[in-house]
Amino acid sequence: MEKNHSTSSGEWEKMKKEINELMTEGRDYAHQFGSASSQETREHLAKKILESYHKSLTIMNYSGELDQVSHGGGSPKSDDSDQEPLAIKSSKKSMPRWTSKVRIAPGTGIDRTLDDGFCWRKYGQKDILGAKFPRGYYRCTYRKSQGCEATRQVQRSDENQMLIEISYRGIHFFLITHPQVNSQVATGVRERNCVWGGSIPGLDQQGDPSNQTRTTRPPPCGYRGIHSCSQAANVGTTMPIQNLETNQTQEHENHDIMKESLGNYNHQAHLHHNLHYPLSSTPNLENNNAYMLQLRDHNTEFFGSTSFSSDLGTNINYNFPASGSASHSTSNSPSTVPLESPFESFDPNHPYGGFGGFYS
DNA sequence: CCCATTTGACCCCG
DNA sequence: CGGGGTCAAATGGG
């Protein structure tokens, strides 16, 4: 792991400590897992283990971003000439960018467009040189109200008609979701006018009426984790939890789950995932039991070319409408859309959970 | 009437 | 100067 140079040593020590604790915790859970008798326990433990890993990794990655956003106390001297708060200052370039390829799977539902759990508003479309299909530009619906700088670009692949490339910017792929989710679940706040998707450039005319795509779980809009576009309703709802209902070799499965999930932390591109995340189904949400996660059985095959794309296993299905019209919805996800964070016990106040004041 | 999408114009950067 | 990205007026749906 590369520690960032500009991370202040104090900060780093803190992180190290945190990571250490988390990993230790994870190890303990893993030990317990081995001797766990009941399935429930195992699920619970597996979840805990994943949490630990997830948190640790998040912290580690977070530390990696510190140099881009010099933070208070760390390096007071910024070479930037402007005095704008660094947290807000985010040059496009320094924004993280995630790209994922979304496959359009024929023969499935059509009602939802690019439902990645976040609210996007289309603000442009452009023909790209050399590309057959135009590129769609989306920004976070809550850009104005909450200052979320998240954007995404959607473009249909030239070669493979069944592929759609989506790139996200200004989004933290990890962690941020949960505080958001939690807070939303807690309050039940739903904002209006959440737009899921918009038309898919290039899909409009020739789109297979029964298109469905799947992708890695896209990132939450990551402005300090406050941002509420990632409706709790969506986040975690369409997680393709395969095999959840096929509760056969569950034990074995749990191992696989962990293995896979942990493997996803591998910071390499082009991971092929088949994430199962039955763990998140345990509906023991602290804040509000009303929101239970009902998992839909999805055949999950998707690929993400992003490092953390599937870190939470919260992958989401993308459904494309047959027509180009955007499917927008105010608050309702399709049918049964329960809310829950895959990390119900995740602490929103986790020091690194909110990225308070930071924006990459 | 409100608000999201569309779409051509405009801007910025290489 | 060209292309990608964004703006904003027009459009249209609910």
Side-chain angles (χ1 to χ4, degrees):
Chain A
M1 177 175 81
E2 297 175 337
K3 174 177 127 31
N4 207 307
H5 304 344
S6 62
T7 302
S8 73
S9 63
E11 193 77 15
W12 175 244
E13 287 306 318
K14 229 170 73 182
M15 290 177 179
K16 243 167 55 179
K17 183 162 170 260
E18 188 88 14
I19 291 168
N20 194 21
E21 284 169 7
L22 287 167
M23 297 299 278
T24 307
E25 182 185 279
R27 186 194 55 194
D28 293 345
Y29 285 132
H31 278 140
Q32 295 172 43
F33 187 92
S35 53
S37 50
S38 85
Q39 170 127 331
E40 266 182 38
T41 312
R42 278 195 297 272
E43 285 191 9
H44 174 76
L45 288 170
K47 185 158 56 178
K48 291 305 224 175
I49 294 166
L50 283 177
E51 277 181 48
S52 299
Y53 270 85
H54 177 72
K55 289 178 186 175
S56 318
L57 285 158
T58 300
I59 292 171
M60 288 190 276
N61 286 291
Y62 176 64
S63 72
E65 291 173 6
L66 287 177
D67 54 351
Q68 291 181 15
V69 192
S70 92
H71 52 315
S75 46
K77 180 87 181 205
S78 141
D79 31 325
D80 272 351
S81 43
D82 64 57
Q83 311 98 319
E84 217 179 319
L86 289 159
I88 294 174
K89 164 128 188 114
S90 56
S91 86
K92 277 265 142 53
K93 291 221 179 133
S94 64
M95 280 184 173
R97 177 174 173 159
W98 307 94
T99 308
S100 50
K101 290 185 180 170
V102 172
R103 186 170 59 175
I104 306 170
T108 347
I110 28 165
D111 49 346
R112 301 288 297 281
T113 318
L114 293 164
D115 178 6
D116 52 14
F118 305 107
C119 303
W120 302 105
R121 176 169 182 164
K122 193 171 184 179
Y123 66 89
Q125 178 167 317
K126 196 97 166 91
D127 285 317
I128 300 303
L129 195 75
K132 277 192 213 132
F133 306 106
R135 176 179 299 164
Y137 298 88
Y138 301 78
R139 69 165 52 106
C140 174
T141 301
Y142 303 101
R143 183 190 180 90
K144 246 186 232 167
S145 57
Q146 302 180 29
C148 178
E149 298 279 334
T151 62
R152 78 171 174 184
Q153 298 182 358
V154 176
Q155 184 166 22
R156 200 160 175 207
S157 165
D158 280 342
E159 317 80 52
N160 189 343
Q161 302 270 312
M162 291 294 104
L163 280 186
I164 291 180
E165 293 178 22
I166 304 180
S167 65
Y168 295 90
R169 277 204 172 105
I171 289 177
H172 280 292
F173 233 93
F174 38 87
L175 251 185
I176 273 195
T177 349
H178 312 304
Q180 290 176 296
V181 170
N182 283 345
S183 68
Q184 282 216 341
V185 167
T187 59
V189 168
R190 299 291 295 274
E191 295 211 26
R192 298 178 57 233
N193 302 321
C194 175
V195 177
W196 285 290
S199 61
I200 314 304
L203 201 67
D204 302 26
Q205 283 88 27
Q206 50 246 285
D208 179 344
S210 55
N211 273 337
Q212 185 188 38
T213 61
R214 301 191 171 91
T215 184
T216 58
R217 194 246 183 289
C221 299
Y223 190 55
R224 299 165 56 181
I226 297 168
H227 175 85
S228 56
C229 92
S230 57
Q231 260 69 0
N234 287 330
V235 174
T237 56
T238 44
M239 286 194 298
I241 295 33
Q242 199 179 30
N243 299 338
L244 178 59
E245 353 244 321
T246 59
N247 43 353
Q248 294 180 338
T249 53
Q250 194 89 26
E251 171 180 347
H252 192 271
E253 214 176 309
N254 281 346
H255 286 292
D256 288 347
I257 289 153
M258 285 199 297
K259 207 165 54 189
E260 287 180 10
S261 300
L262 297 179
N264 288 335
Y265 283 114
N266 194 340
H267 295 199
Q268 286 178 355
H270 304 294
L271 301 171
H272 275 247
H273 310 147
N274 243 339
L275 257 198
H276 317 299
Y277 210 83
L279 309 173
S280 52
S281 64
T282 349
N284 47 352
L285 195 56
E286 304 164 335
N287 327 18
N288 189 342
N289 329 333
Y291 299 97
M292 303 214 314
L293 184 61
Q294 292 175 14
L295 301 167
R296 309 196 318 210
D297 181 67
H298 289 306
N299 198 12
T300 57
E301 189 187 329
F302 46 88
F303 11 76
S305 55
T306 60
S307 322
F308 300 91
S309 50
S310 298
D311 52 357
L312 298 179
T314 46
N315 304 288
I316 288 196
N317 271 17
Y318 281 9
N319 299 314
F320 294 88
S323 74
S325 74
S327 77
H328 39 168
S329 158
T330 331
S331 56
N332 294 325
S333 299
S335 51
T336 60
V337 180
L339 332 179
E340 208 227 9
S341 160
F343 291 81
E344 70 263 11
S345 60
F346 185 80
D347 178 14
N349 300 317
H350 188 279
Y352 306 101
F355 292 96
F358 289 95
Y359 187 70
S360 46

